[in-house]
Amino acid sequence: MTTPRPVRLAALGVLTEGVVALVVAALMVAAGLTFSVWGFLVLLGVGITAAGVALLRGARGARGPSIVVQLLTIGCAFYAAVPSGRPDWGVPVLLLAAAVLAALISRPAREWAGT
C-alpha cells in the first residue's frame, strides 16, 4: 500500500519541525551558549528529522513518535501563546502541530498504519 497523502503532508511538517530545531541549535552555538543548552536541541532535532524522513519513506513505525512530538509541541506552543504572553510565536506553531497531528490520526493514516 502506498503512503497516503495526509501522511506525506504530515511527514513534511515533521521534517520542517526537525530542521527548525537544528537551525535554532545552530543559532544557539553561534550565540556562544554552552553545549548543555544546545546539545539537547541537536539530539531532539536529529530525532525529529529522522522521523520525518522515515515517514516520507513510508515507515509505519515513525507515526507513533511523530504523534508524540506533535502532542509535546502543542503543549509548548500553548505555553508560549498563553502564559508566556507570546501568541506571535505560540499560535503559528500550535496551528502547524495541530494540522500535522490531525493528518497523522486521520482515517487514511490509521488504515495505512494498520491500527
Side-chain angles (χ1 to χ4, degrees):
M1 177 179 207
T2 61
T3 308
R5 188 168 194 262
V7 174
R8 290 192 310 266
L9 291 173
L12 293 175
V14 172
L15 190 59
T16 299
E17 292 169 351
V19 169
V20 166
L22 293 173
V23 168
V24 170
L27 292 173
M28 288 178 167
V29 170
L33 298 174
T34 63
F35 174 76
S36 61
V37 175
W38 57 264
F40 176 73
L41 194 56
V42 168
L43 292 174
L44 194 62
V46 167
I48 295 170
T49 302
V53 169
L55 275 176
L56 277 176
R57 299 182 85 198
R60 290 174 174 90
R63 182 175 166 259
S66 297
I67 289 172
V68 171
V69 167
Q70 300 320 302
L71 293 171
L72 292 171
T73 302
I74 287 171
C76 292
F78 176 81
Y79 185 82
V82 180
S84 294
R86 292 301 307 258
D88 53 329
W89 286 78
V91 171
V93 172
L94 188 126
L95 293 175
L96 172 67
V100 171
L101 180 63
L104 288 170
I105 62 174
S106 67
R107 181 181 303 239
R110 288 192 320 267
E111 291 172 355
W112 169 76
T115 57

